[in-house]
Amino acid sequence: MARLPIIVAPDPRLKVKAKPVDKVDAEIRQLMDDMMETMHAANGIGLAAPQVGVLKRVLVMDIAHEDEEPNPIRMANPEIVWASDEEELREEGCLSLPDQFAEVVRPKSVRVRYLDHENEVREMECIGLQAVCVQHEMDHLEGTLFVDRISALKRNMILRKLTKSRRGKPVTV
Ligand code: GNR
Ligand code: NI
């Protein structure tokens, strides 16, 4: 297991569409495990491979609280096969946009088809925070950040803050 550096916006690697995996083999399983460790260490509830510089359609999630049993979920090539018409507004954050938050509208629940860590096809219905999280992570696989789903005014405020806070610090690769 290894912790991987998380890329912070603005960075061109966060804007690229990630490529599907052929199959979930030992290498992808290792990536999933490293991402899970990285996510837990950063106190995140989700992490997509592009955030650690790997442009593959892989994500991990765990929305369990610290005082609950962990519920780690690993997905490759996720697809939304159904989304509710009903939408919900929720505040989102992102490990690639540290300390920035905004309200985003998304379908309230979604059904996702994916390959699990054993390369088995699975489906999972996500509601509440898990629905928000899986859609947020799948956006990363398209090169989309939550700020791309809010007004240009709010987006530019957030991106300006991040550029400022980065000034004078070395760029992490
Ligand atoms: O840790 C995270 N919390 C979070 C809160 C609300 C909506 C989405 C998220 S995902 C985020 C981790 C992250 O950046 N995943 O890509
Ligand atoms: Ni994110």
Side-chain angles (χ1 to χ4, degrees):
M1 295 264 274
R3 284 186 201 176
L4 309 166
I6 297 175
I7 295 170
V8 171
D11 187 299
R13 289 168 293 179
L14 295 172
K15 307 260 64 184
V16 181
K17 187 175 154 99
K19 295 242 162 39
V21 305
D22 292 330
K23 67 175 293 210
V24 179
D25 55 15
E27 188 190 329
I28 298 296
R29 248 190 317 278
Q30 183 65 54
L31 171 66
M32 287 169 160
D33 288 347
D34 290 346
M35 285 170 58
M36 192 69 77
E37 182 182 347
T38 303
M39 180 193 78
H40 280 134
N43 291 318
I45 58 169
L47 190 69
Q51 291 180 278
V52 294
V54 178
L55 298 175
K56 291 183 178 163
R57 303 186 80 81
V58 172
L59 64 85
V60 297
M61 296 194 289
D62 191 347
I63 62 158
H65 287 280
E66 263 176 59
D67 56 354
E68 292 172 340
E69 277 293 296
N71 181 25
I73 292 164
R74 293 162 276 192
M75 297 186 174
N77 301 349
E79 286 171 70
I80 291 183
V81 294
W82 173 84
S84 63
D85 291 331
E86 199 180 344
E87 295 186 317
E88 200 167 41
L89 186 68
R90 273 189 184 247
E91 183 162 87
E92 298 194 16
C94 182
L95 294 170
S96 296
L97 299 162
D99 305 318
Q100 308 304 317
F101 304 90
E103 287 190 317
V104 182
V105 186
R106 300 183 187 273
K108 197 177 157 95
S109 44
V110 290
R111 193 169 178 83
V112 182
R113 183 177 298 155
Y114 62 97
L115 292 173
D116 73 4
H117 60 289
E118 293 178 312
N119 200 48
E120 299 283 346
V121 180
R122 287 183 180 272
E123 282 192 17
M124 179 175 163
E125 190 143 325
C126 301
I127 59 168
L129 184 59
Q130 189 147 59
V132 177
C133 188
V134 76
Q135 292 178 84
H136 173 116
E137 302 317 332
M138 288 180 69
D139 268 357
H140 277 298
L141 306 182
E142 295 299 310
T144 300
L145 300 174
F146 80 77
V147 288
D148 297 318
R149 296 189 175 275
I150 64 179
S151 74
L153 185 72
K154 287 184 189 163
R155 172 166 60 251
N156 290 332
M157 270 171 47
I158 288 179
L159 294 176
R160 264 200 306 272
K161 277 193 223 161
L162 288 172
T163 307
K164 255 192 189 164
S165 76
R166 171 120 42 111
R167 228 168 255 161
K169 291 182 193 165
V171 178
T172 19
V173 182

